[in-house]
Amino acid sequence: MVECAEDGCGAEAVVELHVPWADNRRVCAGHARVIARQDGVVADPLDGQEDEWP
């Protein structure tokens, strides 16, 4: 299990975010939904976690 990269979050990471202005990071579904709304951010489900990310 990989933990969410966001500070203070202990949830399991299910998505890798490709962020053009920063390093890629693995985050939980909740953080991914918020961050992925920004222009240029691409969200890819991690292998085996496709059902966690609609």
Side-chain angles (χ1 to χ4, degrees):
M1 178 179 113
V2 176
E3 276 192 19
C4 179
E6 294 300 299
D7 290 337
C9 184
E12 182 178 4
V14 297
V15 174
E16 181 170 9
L17 295 178
H18 303 276
V19 184
W21 56 88
D23 292 333
N24 293 350
R25 58 187 185 253
R26 294 178 175 197
V27 297
C28 66
H31 281 111
R33 285 185 183 102
V34 173
I35 299 167
R37 291 181 183 171
Q38 298 176 48
D39 285 340
V41 175
V42 176
D44 286 324
L46 297 175
D47 288 338
Q49 301 293 338
E50 294 83 5
D51 292 340
E52 299 297 324
W53 181 245

